[in-house]
Amino acid sequence: YYADGRLGSAICDLRNVDDIRAKVKEAAKFFNDRIDVLINNGGIASPQWRDGKTMEDLSTIDEWKAYIDTNLTGPFAMSQACIPYMKARASDFEHGAHIQNANNSSPAGPCIIHIGSFRAHQSDPNQEGYASSKAGQLGLMHSMAISLGSLGIRVNLIAPGLINVAHDIKEGDENGADWAG
């Protein structure tokens, strides 16, 4: 597909709003100024402070900012940049895509999906940055769903549970423990 010009990619700095806006503009151009789906999946996945730190360590403030900037501000800025392309038809500005498509066989309009985490509801020690950013995504999703609904843009969040990844359960993996418990 790449050789045929039907596939493209770009690297984006989720802590740089100008880069986000530029990359979304490039993507929209690739899709003829229309974006139907945005999946906000990029972010810092490590749930705990680096090097075994706790929030008592004053140096965690920089990690805190990174979590919030990447996991919360990034999805907000990506969504904000995509809205004009999700609402690209002139009629959407007046009536919303959900109204325009109500009589069609597939009435659903564009959608934004945030990838959150169960850590928004259930955290372990020393996960203040990660858990707070994921809880913030939940609030962001609720508010965006209400704000963008009249434009025909659906907004949802997927909050996966514990996933078998080395950085989250290394000790259990090394000892052969059952991680699913």
Side-chain angles (χ1 to χ4, degrees), residues 10-13 18-28 78:
I11 295 174
C12 183
D13 180 352
D18 291 334
D19 192 32
I20 288 171
R21 291 174 179 167
K23 294 301 181 349
V24 167
K25 188 175 183 177
E26 286 177 32
M78 286 293 295

Side-chain angles (χ1 to χ4, degrees), residues 1-2 15 21 27 36 39 50-51 54 68 74 80 86 89-90 104 109 120 131 137 141 148 150 163 172:
Y1 292 99
Y2 186 78
R15 294 187 211 167
R21 291 174 179 167
D36 293 315
I39 300 175
R50 284 186 300 228
D51 303 323
T54 68
I68 299 303
Q80 186 181 54
M86 293 181 148
R89 294 178 302 245
N104 294 341
Q137 281 184 347
M141 179 274 303
L148 300 177
S150 65
I163 298 172

Side-chain angles (χ1 to χ4, degrees), residues 1-11 26-32:
Y1 292 99
Y2 186 78
D4 294 340
R6 297 187 300 166
L7 176 71
S9 66
I11 295 174
E26 286 177 32
K29 184 177 179 182
F30 184 82
F31 292 113
N32 298 316

Side-chain angles (χ1 to χ4, degrees), residues 4 11 13 37 48 52 98 101 105 114 131 135 137 158-159 163 178:
D4 294 340
I11 295 174
D13 180 352
V37 178
Q48 294 168 320
H98 65 298
N101 292 326
S105 60
H114 301 288
Q137 281 184 347
I158 298 170
I163 298 172
D178 180 10

Side-chain angles (χ1 to χ4, degrees), residues 47-48 118-119 122-128 131 168:
Q48 294 168 320
F118 80 106
R119 297 288 183 202
Q122 177 186 350
S123 188
D124 285 331
N126 305 313
Q127 296 184 345
E128 293 82 10
D168 202 18

